[in-house]
Every structure is written in structure tokens, then in C-alpha cells.
Amino acid sequence: MLLVLLAACTATGGEDPRPRWLPQPGTDWQWQLDGRIDHGIDVPVYDIDGFENDAATVRRLHREGRKVICYINAGAWEDFRPDAGDFPRSVLGSPNGWAGERWLDIRRLDVLEPLMAERIEMCRERGFDAVEPDLLDGWTNDTGFPLTAAHQLAYNRMIARLSHERGLSVGLKNDLDQVPELVDDFDFAVNEECAQYGGCTALTPFVAAGKAVFHVEYALPVERFCGQATRLGFSSMRKKLDLGAWRQPC
């Protein structure tokens, strides 16, 4: 019996016993990754930076009746994060266009799995309900590595598994081309600019499965995308690119 119990445990001491939160289509949300969190937005879901916000912030949002999503970067190294020194140079690729960031070699599951497990465990320890792992579409970018669709599927499923092992729901960030293969592995989707680039219908399998699609546009005015987004059942808003508190919901 002891061996059975040990085999069931994860590296963190066992799966989190809490039932996973499963956001439904049309759930309103706020996405704020920059600046002091504005608690005055009347929505049931906040998506905030996991490193920059402590357990007390998450507890306050819970007291206010919110579910809280933990933003982490899963596809690129960031030189400003406290764990930056834990990533070997061999997995650091080309710059991705954001200051201090470089694509990761997602083929190296042996190296990246424990590092991502630590980040997701941080989300769990701080009390978050879910994870938003950014940059899950490296295979469609010039990363400096010969990444394939198969590499991305394996990596994304690893991220989903690590989240679920800790009782956290997890969102598929962008990666529209692989939605059919990944919709069953993820609990919701987070998308940037599918209306701008004509790809929103690719996300409909999430809504059909009863899973939320949290969607933002940056350049388009709300009159250009809210009609379609509402028909598709998305949770949509316009944001500024810095992802401060400002929002213009559909």
C-alpha cells in the first residue's frame, strides 16, 4: 500500500485535492500584467503576473469573489525573472522581440520540465486557480531551433500535465493551428488578436467543449470585433499593449 501511495505522489508531494476550476464560455475577465492591480474592475476573473503578485494579492482577489489566473512565460527565457540563472545557455535561442527575452528550446523536456514545474508550483503555492503559460507557439516563429509541430504538442501537453497535477486549470495561449489536437488537454484558451488576423473560428472547439475563450484585441476598435466575438461565445475586450488596468470590454 505504501508503494502505491508513493507512486501516486507528484514531485510536490501529491496532486492538489482541490477540484479544478473550469471557466465557462462568456465568463468576463480582466487581464493586467503591468502596474499595481486595480481591484475596481467588476469581473469574476483576473489574469495577473505570477511572479509579480504574492499570495496576499491572490487572497484579496479571492475574498472579492474572483478566480485568479497566474501568468507565466513558458516559451521564452526572461532575464529579469528571479529564476533566470537556472536556465542553461544551451536552451536559449533567438530574441523574440521583447526586451530581455529569448526563445526556449522546447525540445529539451529534460531540462525545461523541472524549471516549468517550479514556476507552476509557485502559482499553486500562492493560491492561484489557473495558469496562463505564454508563448506556446514557438514552432511557428524564428526561434533559432528546428522546432516542429510534434515538438510543440509534446511541450504544451507537458505544461498542461504539470498544471493539472497541481490542481490548477490551464489555458492554451494562441497556437491556433494546434487547437484541434490540444482542446482536450487544456481547460480554456487565451488569445491575442484572432480578429485582427482572421483566425477566431479556429477557437470554436473550445466553446463547443464548454470551455472559455479569453480574447483580446489591441489595434481594432470594439466595433470591428465584438459582434463576431459575441456570436462565437468569446470573453472579449480591447486592451493596450502594455496590459495595464485599462480595458474596453465587448
Side-chain angles (χ1 to χ4, degrees), residues 103-116:
W103 289 104
L104 290 171
D105 185 356
I106 60 168
R107 299 171 301 172
R108 296 295 308 277
L109 301 183
D110 58 326
V111 174
L112 295 180
E113 179 170 354
L115 294 170
M116 291 301 145

Side-chain angles (χ1 to χ4, degrees), residues 25-238:
T27 303
D28 205 2
W29 71 308
Q30 164 67 326
W31 194 20
Q32 184 181 348
L33 302 184
D34 184 60
R36 186 173 181 178
I37 299 300
D38 180 353
H39 291 260
I41 309 299
D42 186 17
V43 296
V45 177
Y46 269 60
D47 187 337
I48 62 177
D49 189 285
F51 280 104
E52 297 297 326
N53 293 282
D54 60 12
T57 300
V58 177
R59 286 195 299 270
R60 177 177 171 182
L61 288 165
H62 281 159
R63 288 196 301 269
E64 295 166 349
R66 278 70 179 260
K67 295 293 187 181
V68 195
I69 301 172
C70 180
Y71 171 91
I72 60 171
N73 196 330
W77 174 78
E78 302 160 306
D79 67 5
F80 49 88
R81 297 300 190 186
D83 62 353
D86 297 336
F87 290 76
R89 293 187 61 84
S90 61
V91 301
L92 307 186
S94 302
N96 69 355
W98 292 92
E101 297 189 19
R102 294 170 64 179
W103 289 104
L104 290 171
D105 185 356
I106 60 168
R107 299 171 301 172
R108 296 295 308 277
L109 301 183
D110 58 326
V111 174
L112 295 180
E113 179 170 354
L115 294 170
M116 291 301 145
E118 288 186 14
R119 288 188 168 191
I120 295 168
E121 178 63 13
M122 172 193 70
C123 296
R124 188 196 69 80
E125 290 177 348
R126 295 186 180 190
F128 285 91
D129 303 286
V131 180
E132 181 211 336
D134 200 6
L135 298 181
L136 294 184
D137 55 359
W139 71 289
T140 65
N141 292 270
D142 182 11
T143 63
F145 304 112
L147 304 182
T148 67
H151 294 137
Q152 194 70 62
L153 286 173
Y155 187 75
N156 291 1
R157 285 175 173 145
M158 180 196 77
I159 294 293
R161 173 178 56 79
L162 292 174
S163 301
H164 290 160
E165 286 174 352
R166 289 157 178 80
L168 303 174
S169 63
V170 59
L172 178 64
K173 180 69 173 289
N174 298 324
D175 198 21
L176 295 182
D177 292 338
Q178 296 188 323
V179 166
E181 291 87 356
L182 293 171
V183 64
D184 291 338
D185 297 283
F186 287 80
D187 305 296
F188 57 92
V190 180
N191 176 264
E192 297 168 290
E193 298 188 295
C194 69
Q196 173 81 6
Y197 296 104
C200 289
T201 57
L203 290 158
T204 56
F206 275 94
V207 177
K211 300 176 180 181
V213 173
F214 297 119
H215 161 235
V216 300
E217 296 289 331
Y218 301 117
L220 294 181
V222 291
E223 305 83 51
R224 293 274 304 279
F225 68 88
C226 279
Q228 181 196 37
T230 300
R231 288 192 299 273
L232 293 176
F234 292 179
S235 306
S236 300
M237 60 183 168
R238 187 179 182 189

